[in-house]
Amino acid sequence: MVAALAEGGADSSWVLNVVQITHEGDLDKLREFLADGERKNLLESILPPTASHSTTALELLHRKVQRIALVRSFCSRMDSPAASGDDGHLMTFQEIADECRCSATDGGVEKLVLSAVAHGLIRAKVDGLTEEVRVSWVMPRVLAVQEVEAVQQAVQSWTQRVGEAAQLLLAKQPQQPTMAI
């Protein structure tokens, strides 16, 4: 893709689109982008060959976008106390399958989560019996403006809850007698 940008053909904006789609982890935009056969063929022609004969470069790109979608879905839930616990943030297999466009029933979620763990994107525990994934850490990444605003709102909400808890503790604190001298 760097070569395609360096050549700077008449319309190389599609390269920027691929980079943005990948960064955003937007599987719908990727599907829409690849629906154009000409762009798909052009992308296939410039992606490096894979070591595996059974996996195409486009499949690897799709998996990468899925992993980014997984990371983004956990990041978007970090401010939700309902999905949070002492040992991480919880998502069900079905939630992951819906957001990352993979199968919740034939091992698709487990493969995706294990791939993200193997790439160092998350630290997670997978519970196959309850079909839940608990993530304790997500690799830091560059945030979009909307994500920065979401983090700001989460910090403001947390600050407000801490302030309310402090006021409650101060209100319940027994009055200490003062001695007159």
Side-chain angles (χ1 to χ4, degrees):
M1 282 204 277
V2 173
L5 282 174
E7 290 175 13
D11 184 22
S12 59
S13 64
W14 65 271
V15 178
L16 180 58
N17 288 343
V18 171
V19 171
Q20 287 175 329
I21 289 167
T22 304
H23 175 75
E24 294 169 1
D26 193 328
L27 291 157
D28 293 330
K29 284 184 183 176
L30 180 64
R31 186 180 321 117
E32 180 182 312
F33 181 87
L34 295 177
D36 179 345
E38 185 178 324
R39 286 191 289 189
K40 180 179 179 181
N41 291 338
L42 187 56
L43 186 57
E44 282 179 323
S45 71
I46 65 165
L47 286 174
T50 63
S52 168
H53 296 293
S54 63
T55 306
T56 68
L58 286 180
E59 289 171 331
L60 291 178
L61 177 63
H62 183 264
R63 290 179 193 169
K64 179 175 186 141
V65 174
Q66 276 186 313
R67 287 191 298 268
I68 299 299
L70 178 69
V71 167
R72 290 179 63 93
S73 65
F74 275 108
C75 286
S76 70
R77 286 171 169 70
M78 289 297 185
D79 61 342
S80 169
S84 180
D86 291 339
D87 57 347
H89 296 273
L90 186 72
M91 279 182 78
T92 66
F93 280 19
Q94 191 59 54
E95 290 171 326
I96 293 171
D98 291 345
E99 291 194 30
C100 300
R101 312 296 187 271
C102 62
S103 173
T105 57
D106 70 353
V109 170
E110 290 99 327
K111 288 177 188 174
L112 176 60
V113 172
L114 293 177
S115 174
V117 169
H119 282 85
L121 300 174
I122 61 173
R123 292 187 193 132
K125 293 179 182 177
V126 179
D127 187 338
L129 293 176
T130 61
E131 295 189 337
E132 295 174 333
V133 177
R134 186 167 296 278
V135 171
S136 58
W137 177 85
V138 177
M139 175 184 246
R141 58 189 301 269
V142 176
L143 302 176
V145 174
Q146 298 93 341
E147 293 171 314
V148 171
E149 290 170 352
V151 169
Q152 179 185 16
Q153 289 175 353
V155 169
Q156 288 173 342
S157 173
W158 176 81
T159 303
Q160 181 181 354
R161 289 192 313 262
V162 168
E164 290 168 358
Q167 291 298 325
L168 182 64
L169 289 173
L170 288 174
K172 293 193 178 223
Q173 182 179 2
Q175 295 293 330
Q176 304 228 343
T178 56
M179 293 181 62
I181 301 182

